[in-house]
Amino acid sequence: MTAKTWIMAALVVSVAVTFGTGCKRTKAKTGSGLGNGDLINGTGTAGDLTGLAGRDGFGGKIVDGQFPTVYFDFDSAQVKEGERAKVAQVAEYLKANAGATVVLSGHTDERGSQEYNTSLGENRALAVREALTQDGVDAARMQTRSMGEEQPKNPGHDEAAWSQNRRVEFQVLGSK
Amino acid sequence: MQNRRTLLALTLAALPLIAPAQEVWITKNTAAKFSVDLTELRASAGGGALFVQTLQNDLVRSGWFNIARPATFTVRGTAAAGAGMSAACELFDNSRNRALLNKAYNGTAAETRRLAHQAADDIVFAATGKKGMNGARLLLAGRMGGGKEIFLCDADGGNLRQITHDNSISLAPQWAPNGELFVYTSFRRNNFQEINLVDLRSNQRTVIAAYPGIDMTGGISPDGGSMLMTLSKDGNPDIYVQGLRGGAPIRLTKSIHAGQASPCWSPDGNAIAYVSDHSGQPQLYLMSRGGGGGKLLTSRGSQNVAPDWGSEGIAYCSRRGGRYVVCVINPATREDRQISPGDCDYEDPNWAPDGRHIFCTRTSGYRPTICMLDTMGDPPLALPLGSGDWTSPACTR
């Protein structure tokens, strides 16, 4: 990352934080740091364990797996150059579909502390969210979520499996 | 003659620090032991035998005793099951020819094991002056099919029962000091995390934190009033503190492009240990309870995570030589010691109330189980929990 993009990223974060602290509970702002509620409300069921299949709390259709998964290096929350086009594709979709919102689910491989992996998964989702804001998507249309190491895509125990499990998945909500 | 002198020197070297000097010591495994004779504890069939068997296992598990005859200590008395359970135990110190303990243990038949745990802790205290760990209870996360639920069991793995039935993911249980309340992180709301407070006396559950982003539990303060958490509601996963019964969370760390995790309190409640990856790798830091100015605790190990701060130091998990090992560090002197063997991965350490043992997960062949480590040198002891993946041990203090 160049110094310029770091400064931009820092600006985005500081603007987001300033914006976030001004929000009251009654305002329905959403996003990782920007509001008071997750996009989806309601009681979890066993069906939710496999993802957000079905409908969201507003009755909107959830589209799962519509966009390719973004993968990460071990112990890293940096969006790799090679993965950046996947994020741009989601940004284009969100800009073309003003009513759509997106949940970014961060995951880690099984190695290391479960609690740290929850933070790492969240930071991966936040990194993708930041990339989407750089591409011009309103941060309030994005919600991050961390599954930590709890939902591996590949149940194996080698680097081939781990590399598939270090990821951020997109779940698009409220779209047509 | 030369041989005899060597033998004497070795025996002296094996003497533990806390014991009256005139006693006979037997060493088994690595740690030094007292010998104790239980043959004069008369048991009725059934419940009485269960009491004696549980007591004997507890005394061995405590690390301080070998069962032998003749012995330094003799436990005399009776254990009889009638309408309930009724036991009387005298601990006699044969080397000083006097009784150190004489106590009755009465309860229902269902309480037999609990009464034996209590007797074991009383005997440990009378003989060594140290707090026991057999009466402690453990919270665990257990994987059942696709989900994870919270379980409760005794320190020996007995009396296992399932507490949550959410058909979801439940993680990271943390006890309040009274051993009646605990918090855990639940994914039951559509996989968005929330922190639940459970009261085991009333079986009531209350959601006490459900902010946007992650809501991970941290330690509950020694006075039982506050709870540490990792939240990402303001940007990055940072450490916060909040009243256990509610109130607004107060932010203690402020990071950009870094993640924090696993906050815990010092025993006096004045300091907090936590994990941060702002250096590029997850490492342990200390800060005051008001937050700010985290100081790196150790630079040994490529990763250092999962701290638990007890009276004998900070137990934590370190990645060394391609393995996860459990270590204990003195936060004042930075003296650091590896506790677990290097045969497989040991993670998520949690102190037992005796300040000697540490519960942790032991992962072999990618199946995590719970085991108890001994900081005084006995080998790890597995808890007989049955099939399933068991993680996140949290022990009452």
Side-chain angles (χ1 to χ4, degrees), chain A residues 72-80 116 120 123-124 166, chain B residues 280:
Chain A
F72 291 80
D73 287 338
F74 175 63
D75 223 349
S76 168
Q78 295 277 336
V79 179
K80 292 186 278 189
Y116 172 67
L120 180 60
N123 266 339
R124 286 177 178 161
R166 298 186 296 259

Side-chain angles (χ1 to χ4, degrees), chain A residues 157-168:
Chain A
H157 303 294
D158 52 20
E159 179 52 33
W162 293 329
S163 64
Q164 289 175 42
N165 295 334
R166 298 186 296 259
R167 69 197 194 277
V168 168

Side-chain angles (χ1 to χ4, degrees), chain A residues 71-114:
Chain A
Y71 295 102
F72 291 80
D73 287 338
F74 175 63
D75 223 349
S76 168
Q78 295 277 336
V79 179
K80 292 186 278 189
E81 277 309 309
E83 301 293 296
R84 196 62 182 73
K86 296 177 180 176
V87 178
Q89 188 187 337
V90 177
E92 289 311 311
Y93 177 86
L94 289 172
K95 285 192 275 187
N97 293 270
T101 52
V102 65
V103 175
L104 311 168
S105 296
H107 300 257
T108 71
D109 67 33
E110 64 187 337
R111 293 172 292 169
S113 139
Q114 171 198 72

Side-chain angles (χ1 to χ4, degrees), chain A residues 6 17 32-33 35 38 40 42 44 48 75 112-116 118-119 122-123 126 130 143 145-146 150 157, chain B residues 148 171 188-193 212 214 232-237 257-260 262 277 282 303 324 366 392:
Chain A
W6 272 108
V17 168
S32 74
D38 300 310
I40 298 173
D48 293 325
D75 223 349
S113 139
Q114 171 198 72
E115 290 170 30
Y116 172 67
T118 303
S119 285
E122 180 73 359
N123 266 339
L126 287 166
E130 192 176 297
Q143 172 68 56
R145 179 173 67 174
S146 177
E150 300 302 324
H157 303 294
Chain B
K148 273 186 182 176
L171 299 175
R188 67 193 164 106
R189 190 174 46 100
N190 281 311
N191 284 340
F192 288 112
Q193 295 165 14
I214 63 170
S232 60
K233 70 186 188 73
D234 296 317
N236 292 282
H257 296 286
Q260 276 58 238
S262 302
D277 67 359
Q303 291 187 4
Y324 288 100
Y366 299 99
S392 302

